[in-house]
Amino acid sequence: MRRVSNCIFCAIVRGDAAAARVYEDDDLLAFLDIRPVTRGHTLVIAKPHAERLDDLAADVGSRMFALGHRIALALGRSDLAADGSNLVLNDGPAAFQTVPHIHLHVIPRHHGDRLRFVKGLLLRRGGETDTTAALIRDGLTRMEQP
Ligand SMILES: [Zn+2]
């Protein structure tokens, strides 16, 4: 698996940097954004290092989106009770990609949260990460139940 030593997301994959993990399998990892726009803001990455969409195999990109889709639904079923979500992928510095390891943002939204969302975009302040990650994992578990 390709990993880059100075990449913060590769360090998270290796376990050398801390992250509140929401989901993990052999190929994918989802964890809370350390600077969330809203509570529960999750990042989905493929474990092998790929900087841009151009470096990402199409099937891996599909799996990233499928996981983002599942997490978006889990946010609604969790006690975070999201009413909706923004799934956003910023490809390249021109599109505000800030970490050079391609990632999909899943940002939970609530009805009437426009002001809180704009404030979150400016402040990007975290907190309660362990509790929040546990709530999302609960949401994923609820999805697996009939
Ligand atoms: Zn990386």
Side-chain angles (χ1 to χ4, degrees):
M1 183 179 295
R2 184 164 174 241
R3 286 173 176 146
V4 173
S5 59
N6 62 355
C7 171
I8 181 64
F9 288 173
C10 286
I12 288 171
V13 169
R14 287 194 305 270
D16 292 343
R21 292 172 187 240
V22 169
Y23 174 87
E24 179 166 16
D25 64 27
D26 287 345
D27 306 313
L28 301 174
L29 179 64
F31 54 94
L32 294 185
D33 193 315
I34 199 166
R35 298 176 62 231
V37 174
T38 64
R39 186 179 181 199
H41 179 175
T42 300
L43 303 179
V44 175
I45 64 169
K47 287 182 170 180
H49 186 83
E51 183 170 336
R52 301 271 311 261
L53 280 182
D54 206 24
D55 310 308
L56 187 71
D59 63 314
V60 178
S62 299
R63 294 199 50 218
M64 279 174 64
F65 189 85
L67 177 55
H69 181 173
R70 253 165 57 82
I71 289 170
L73 296 181
L75 287 163
R77 285 158 173 79
S78 77
D79 287 350
L80 292 173
D83 297 315
S85 57
N86 295 107
L87 276 72
V88 181
L89 188 148
N90 302 328
D91 177 40
F96 308 123
Q97 182 182 358
T98 52
V99 176
H101 181 138
I102 197 84
H103 51 285
L104 175 66
H105 295 264
V106 185
I107 305 170
R109 300 297 303 269
H110 289 88
H111 292 301
D113 73 352
R114 193 176 303 173
L115 284 177
R116 204 163 9 126
F117 182 80
V118 171
K119 193 174 157 201
L121 272 176
L122 295 172
L123 296 177
R124 308 277 313 251
R125 196 176 290 156
E128 303 180 89
T129 49
D130 290 341
T131 317
T132 304
L135 289 176
I136 301 170
R137 288 194 300 268
D138 281 350
L140 283 166
T141 305
R142 286 174 193 173
M143 288 181 57
E144 282 150 17
Q145 290 161 356

